[in-house]
Amino acid sequence: MSEADLTKTTPRSHPSITSHSTIDEGRFPPGTLLGQRYRIVSVLGRGGMGEVYRANDLILGQPVALKFLPVEMAQDEHILTRFRNEVRVARQVSHPNVCRMYDLGEVDGQPFLSMEYVDGEDLSTLLKRIGHLSQDKGVELARQLCAGLAAAHDKGVLHRDLKPANLLLNSKGQLMITDFGLAGLAEQVQTDIRSGTPAYMAPEQLSGLEVTHKSDIYALGLVLYEMFSGKKAHAAETRAELQRLKDGGSAPSLSSLVKDLDPAIERVIERCLSPDPMRRPSSALAVSAALPGGDPLAAALAAGETPTPEMVAASGSHDGLRPRTALLLVLAIIVGWIGVAMLNSHVTLLDKIPFDQPTDALAQKAKEMIATLGYTDKPADVLYGFSKNTAYQEQLNKHFGGKAWEHLMHTRPSLVNFWYRTTPGSLWPANDRNIYPSEMDPPMTVPGMVRISLDPEGRLLNFRALPRATDSPLDGPDDWSALFKLADLDMGMFKPVEPKGLPQVTFDQRSEWKGTISQHIPHEFRVEAAAYRGRLVHFSVAVDWGDPPAPPPSLRARLGQPVFPPALHVGLCFRRVDGVEQLEGRTHGPPWRLAPGDPDGRRRLLHLPSGRALQHIHEFQPGDVELAGGQHLRRRAVRHHVHGLRTPRAQTLAGDAGGLGPAVFRTLHGSASRPPRAVRRRRRDGSGPVGGRLQHGRKKPAAGPDGG
Amino acid sequence: MAEKSLRLDPMVGDLQALTGVRFHFATFTSLFANTIGRATFMVFLLLGLRVLLRNQWLALAATASIFSAMIAVNSALPWFVFGIAFLMNGLMLFYLLRFGYLATVVVMTCNYFMGHFPPDLHWANWYASSSTLCILFLAFLTAYGFRVATAGQKTLADDFD
């Protein structure tokens, strides 16, 4: 079988288009005017599938190539359909390395198509003339070829006839892919798999199994092989032999044919020529990236840039997961997750204790209890949450050891408590190191403050209140049984005892009881209660362990060794370091200190911690629900709106803060609080929005009445 | 059970997250910030120790020791907890060295998230929304991660037959 036989298995839509093809006058002599638009200059090529002419477009004044079908095929509807398809498909691909297709036309019943005229020669002719390309030139052209092919694949177009004769080189040395006569969308060409040139077909295409973009990658490998070696990868006399050679993947080693060839070139061509499509590079761009100097990841990293996900993904040598692997991974994830969830059920506290009442129900119950106990004034601020009874847990571990878990499930009080506190003013932490108010911060120091704790079943555990001097005296509580009822305790099982504890509030009545809760709970409980002017001010239900809680052991005692200072020091640093806050400082720092990167992303990142403030929004001011973002949001607002003046965004915000200053700080900072010093200074200086938008950089303060 | 014999503290999760959707969201957003901060600190600590010790693996061991000691000092069984924490921190640091900062942040986020919103199989509990949030978040993160990682490339090499 000759090469010509091997290269003609299907009717071709056109011959090669080169300026060096056999020159004759063809059907249209030079000077012929076609359709009042094209003047024939010369014939470029001629073959069984038609003729290609160089012509001048008289309207646009540009050279073009015109391809005509042979006269005997011009009426064949199948050929015509293919002819039109060539234009339709090729026009989908627009790339500097793909020959542009213009339009279809007809002259005297002879259809033709117009395309970009390439003043040069095809690669096949060049290789016959010079043997093979140098490594540098070969890599350069290979990269252009990969780019053009990738553009076609990106549009879903398979070329299906990639070979040196269909690659044109113009006078500037630019490579262009042409002849999309057999090309088609991947999903539309599966009925016509074997169309193409057998010598450049992939094994799966040659055997009629399938044709995919990996088939084009195989052809690309063959072309590259030929470019660098000047020889065909598979020298076969018959089609059967060709199939055998391709199936065996037995192309002679490139390094045996070309001295000093970069191993990277040989490796990527070998991968392209793999009989298994899965082992071939995933894309033409991956081939390009694997060529010497073609690693965009390395280039990006060397330039100090972060590679985009697209760049990382495109550099992959494999084409996705195998379905079986993917399925196994998905199953592993699901099984793993179910395993974690099942294990969690055994180790999480909430699943070990009765925890039936939702938060809202507990809050409502706490509110009703406070009212029942005589504190009926509507509070200005309310805060509630859950806390872990760590002291109780330590006692459980101390007294019950390994059986602590069983007791957790059955005993009272619970390891988790619900706390609810009200104040006559707004709640802000008294300890400046705390960002948010909590159960214990601010402490119970202001008259009118009330704090109550319930267990998860809604039973009263602890109560503390600071009555106001203006509160009118009540009659009770002579009968403490109501308290026992709120705590769900049977007063009959408790006996009055001599008070041991001293309530931390002012009182004029106090009582204490000791008893058991039920037969299932072995230890005794101690109940304390105290009242002032008829109002309950203190109540507590606690296990009577018989001894005061031991102070927590020192670190030295726990470790049994001297604690190595670096760990502690770093530990303290760790507690103090907030990466985002650090980043925030960097963002708002002077420009020369800002590191290169993604400032927009960094800025977006800074807003994440603000979400934490949502946790501390609570009712604020009687009869008026306002969104008070807490100390954290206030600090952030100050930092963003006042101190961060170096970014346009911050300037805008600063303007807003100044303009809305009183409202902002009344809401965020509390009506009784003063705005931060920076704001006061700006207001005094008149540099806030009242006096105009804040300028970039520091503004020289205007002289005030005091000369400052 | 190990937790009985070893008297380990039960896993509590974030009790504050039980107080409503708003708290879910607050914890959710702050988790991101916290994990970014912690991962950043881990990176800088590792780099600093790498400079001091002149060996990557020694730096890893030292960093893991520091983090583990911070956890162990508050435990009733410091040496046991130190050993477990050392393994876990070592794994995390190895992950950082092998896969980089972003992957570590994601792993830490998932780790903290599952600690704050422990997933379990008791869907009838009133606080099951925490578990649901955990599941949805992890599912979303997985799907998003896949989408970003593939960057337009197809995930599967072949179609399922």
Side-chain angles (χ1 to χ4, degrees):
Chain A
M1 188 180 274
S2 68
E3 184 183 337
D5 292 331
L6 286 173
T7 56
K8 299 282 182 184
T9 58
T10 46
R12 299 297 321 281
S13 56
H14 70 75
S16 299
I17 315 162
T18 76
S19 58
H20 288 261
S21 301
T22 305
I23 303 296
D24 61 21
E25 291 189 350
R27 236 182 293 178
F28 305 104
T32 307
L33 187 62
L34 301 177
Q36 303 298 314
R37 178 170 184 181
Y38 301 108
R39 186 178 296 284
I40 300 294
V41 176
S42 64
V43 66
L44 293 175
R46 233 179 141 180
M49 287 302 293
E51 299 166 343
V52 179
Y53 293 88
R54 176 185 173 183
N56 285 328
D57 185 333
L58 299 178
I59 295 177
L60 299 178
Q62 288 178 325
V64 294
L66 302 178
K67 185 167 82 171
F68 285 85
L69 283 174
V71 176
E72 62 274 15
M73 292 183 182
Q75 305 306 319
D76 185 330
E77 192 54 38
H78 179 69
I79 300 292
L80 283 173
T81 303
R82 187 183 289 258
F83 201 58
R84 295 186 198 108
N85 185 61
E86 179 176 356
V87 180
R88 190 179 303 119
V89 170
R91 282 176 66 164
Q92 292 185 37
V93 186
S94 175
H95 192 271
N97 297 114
V98 175
C99 187
R100 278 174 293 177
M101 193 66 70
Y102 295 145
D103 208 351
L104 277 173
E106 190 173 313
V107 174
D108 299 333
Q110 297 182 61
F112 69 90
L113 55 83
S114 57
M115 66 179 90
E116 182 181 3
Y117 169 69
V118 180
D119 181 20
E121 62 182 338
D122 65 63
L123 183 63
S124 173
T125 308
L126 178 70
L127 292 176
K128 280 176 188 165
R129 189 158 54 82
I130 66 170
H132 66 86
L133 301 178
S134 67
Q135 181 172 305
D136 290 345
K137 188 66 183 173
V139 169
E140 181 189 334
L141 292 183
R143 199 157 281 141
Q144 294 181 30
L145 174 55
C146 291
L149 190 61
H153 289 171
D154 194 42
K155 296 289 183 183
V157 173
L158 304 184
H159 190 280
R160 297 207 301 167
D161 199 15
L162 206 62
K163 57 183 181 181
N166 287 338
L167 303 175
L168 303 182
L169 293 165
N170 66 16
S171 55
K172 296 177 183 174
Q174 185 182 0
L175 183 143
M176 291 187 181
I177 303 172
T178 186
D179 195 353
F180 283 77
L182 295 178
L185 297 176
E187 61 272 18
Q188 293 172 354
V189 295
Q190 299 305 323
T191 55
D192 190 19
I193 292 172
R194 284 198 171 94
S195 290
T197 306
Y200 293 92
M201 277 186 193
E204 70 274 9
Q205 188 183 0
L206 198 58
S207 57
L209 287 176
E210 61 173 351
V211 56
T212 64
H213 78 284
K214 291 293 186 75
S215 310
D216 277 350
I217 298 289
Y218 187 91
L220 172 65
L222 289 172
V223 172
L224 296 184
Y225 189 99
E226 215 166 317
M227 271 171 53
F228 286 103
S229 70
K231 293 183 170 57
K232 291 186 186 306
H234 303 115
E237 291 297 320
T238 65
R239 187 186 177 104
E241 188 183 356
L242 188 67
Q243 177 83 54
R244 185 178 56 75
L245 288 173
K246 291 190 173 192
D247 287 343
S250 58
S253 158
L254 260 181
S255 54
S256 66
L257 299 173
V258 186
K259 283 183 180 176
D260 302 327
L261 186 70
D262 192 315
I265 298 174
E266 185 172 12
R267 276 199 301 273
V268 69
I269 293 177
E270 275 180 6
R271 284 175 50 212
C272 288
L273 297 183
S274 169
D276 181 1
M278 282 294 296
R279 293 183 180 277
R280 293 174 204 154
S282 57
S283 67
L285 285 182
V287 176
S288 178
L291 289 168
D295 186 354
L297 273 183
L301 292 173
E305 296 169 354
T306 303
T308 62
E310 287 77 11
M311 196 185 287
V312 175
S315 68
S317 57
H318 299 292
D319 193 19
L321 294 169
R322 289 178 185 277
R324 184 179 296 179
T325 310
L327 193 62
L328 284 173
L329 285 174
V330 170
L331 284 175
I333 290 171
I334 293 172
V335 169
W337 194 90
I338 291 174
V340 168
M342 289 177 71
L343 283 174
N344 267 333
S345 302
H346 290 281
V347 297
T348 50
L349 178 63
L350 298 186
D351 286 326
K352 295 289 179 188
I353 59 176
F355 206 65
D356 300 329
Q357 301 265 0
T359 309
D360 291 341
L362 290 172
Q364 183 61 29
K365 192 166 277 188
K367 192 175 176 182
E368 289 171 3
M369 281 188 189
I370 290 172
T372 304
L373 295 170
Y375 297 90
T376 53
D377 289 348
K378 189 169 184 179
D381 207 349
V382 173
L383 195 64
Y384 55 84
F386 290 93
S387 63
K388 183 181 167 190
N389 193 343
T390 309
Y392 177 54
Q393 184 187 351
E394 286 179 358
Q395 290 292 344
L396 279 177
N397 278 329
K398 179 181 173 185
H399 289 272
F400 297 97
K403 293 181 179 178
W405 277 88
E406 293 173 18
H407 285 274
L408 291 181
M409 288 183 280
H410 304 297
T411 60
R412 289 176 64 188
S414 172
L415 262 180
V416 172
N417 295 336
F418 174 79
W419 56 268
Y420 183 98
R421 60 182 302 185
T422 64
T423 58
S426 59
L427 269 170
W428 299 114
N431 185 342
D432 200 39
R433 294 181 64 184
N434 290 336
I435 297 174
Y436 311 117
S438 63
E439 181 185 9
M440 297 297 175
D441 187 14
M444 297 282 291
T445 52
V446 179
M449 280 185 166
V450 178
R451 185 174 69 210
I452 188 170
S453 294
L454 311 180
D455 70 9
E457 299 289 292
R459 296 174 290 218
L460 178 64
L461 279 178
N462 289 291
F463 179 85
R464 181 177 292 186
L466 296 179
R468 286 179 284 210
T470 56
D471 289 341
S472 55
L474 296 180
D475 294 336
D478 295 329
D479 181 11
W480 299 100
S481 62
L483 291 174
F484 279 77
K485 194 176 178 184
L486 292 177
D488 194 23
L489 299 174
D490 182 0
M491 199 170 179
M493 298 180 74
F494 284 81
K495 291 179 182 176
V497 294
E498 188 66 24
K500 287 170 73 176
L502 188 65
Q504 302 292 310
V505 290
T506 306
F507 62 90
D508 53 17
Q509 270 184 279
R510 66 184 293 206
S511 293
E512 204 162 318
W513 300 264
K514 197 173 175 184
T516 56
I517 290 180
S518 79
Q519 296 175 344
H520 304 291
I521 301 175
H523 40 256
E524 287 192 313
F525 281 73
R526 181 176 286 270
V527 178
E528 299 173 6
Y532 178 68
R533 298 176 69 190
R535 288 176 200 273
L536 184 75
V537 291
H538 171 76
F539 182 79
S540 162
V541 179
V543 177
D544 185 11
W545 298 107
D547 51 356
S554 66
L555 291 175
R556 186 184 294 264
R558 284 189 176 193
L559 291 175
Q561 298 286 337
V563 179
F564 41 103
L568 272 183
H569 180 69
V570 174
L572 290 173
C573 290
F574 181 77
R575 298 294 299 171
R576 299 293 300 168
V577 166
D578 183 336
V580 175
E581 294 294 328
Q582 295 298 316
L583 284 171
E584 182 173 40
R586 295 282 290 167
T587 302
H588 290 164
W592 57 87
R593 287 182 59 197
L594 290 179
D598 178 11
D600 287 337
R602 195 165 50 203
R603 209 165 289 130
R604 283 196 296 273
L605 188 67
L606 302 182
H607 294 288
L608 280 175
S610 298
R612 188 72 180 178
L614 287 171
Q615 209 163 20
H616 301 276
I617 294 171
H618 46 277
E619 277 188 30
F620 193 16
Q621 297 300 326
D624 184 15
V625 178
E626 292 185 38
L627 294 182
Q631 189 91 334
H632 182 66
L633 190 57
R634 178 179 66 82
R635 287 179 182 170
R636 288 187 58 78
V638 169
R639 192 170 297 168
H640 272 296
H641 294 196
V642 180
H643 294 304
L645 304 176
R646 291 189 174 85
T647 63
R649 167 77 174 153
Q651 284 188 40
T652 307
L653 290 175
D656 293 345
L660 298 173
V664 168
F665 289 107
R666 199 164 43 242
T667 306
L668 298 178
H669 196 258
S671 55
S673 305
R674 298 177 71 197
R677 190 173 50 191
V679 172
R680 295 200 305 272
R681 186 173 62 239
R682 285 206 169 77
R683 286 181 184 165
R684 192 172 59 241
D685 297 344
S687 58
V690 176
R693 171 161 294 194
L694 292 175
Q695 298 300 307
H696 186 77
R698 292 182 182 279
K699 186 173 182 178
K700 188 178 178 182
D706 56 356
Chain B
M1 295 296 286
E3 68 269 20
K4 288 181 183 177
S5 57
L6 294 172
R7 297 191 302 168
L8 294 180
D9 292 344
M11 197 165 77
V12 181
D14 191 342
L15 292 174
Q16 202 66 8
L18 296 173
T19 42
V21 174
R22 178 157 51 86
F23 299 83
H24 282 169
F25 189 75
T27 307
F28 177 80
T29 52
S30 65
L31 269 178
F32 277 109
N34 289 342
T35 51
I36 289 168
R38 288 177 191 213
T40 307
F41 179 71
M42 188 181 268
V43 167
F44 286 128
L45 186 60
L46 189 64
L47 288 175
L49 288 172
R50 168 72 180 77
V51 172
L52 280 177
L53 302 173
R54 298 171 181 247
N55 183 293
Q56 174 175 290
W57 301 110
L58 276 179
L60 185 149
T63 311
S65 300
I66 290 169
F67 282 116
S68 306
M70 287 157 52
I71 298 170
V73 291
N74 291 321
S75 169
L77 296 166
W79 290 112
F80 175 78
V81 172
F82 179 86
I84 299 291
F86 184 83
L87 283 177
M88 299 304 294
N89 282 313
L91 194 64
M92 189 70 75
L93 286 160
F94 176 76
Y95 201 84
L96 175 66
L97 290 174
R98 176 67 183 82
F99 298 104
Y101 174 76
L102 181 63
T104 308
V105 169
V106 173
V107 168
M108 289 179 84
T109 302
C110 290
N111 190 21
Y112 282 112
F113 200 82
M114 290 177 75
H116 281 258
F117 303 98
D120 66 28
L121 300 177
H122 296 163
W123 302 106
N125 289 336
W126 65 265
Y127 50 86
S129 60
S130 294
S131 288
T132 310
L133 183 72
C134 186
I135 294 164
L136 290 178
F137 170 70
L138 293 178
F140 167 77
L141 197 65
T142 306
Y144 178 74
F146 258 96
R147 179 171 165 72
V148 171
T150 53
Q153 309 280 321
K154 62 180 184 178
T155 307
L156 298 180
D158 298 313
D159 294 331
F160 282 100
D161 294 325

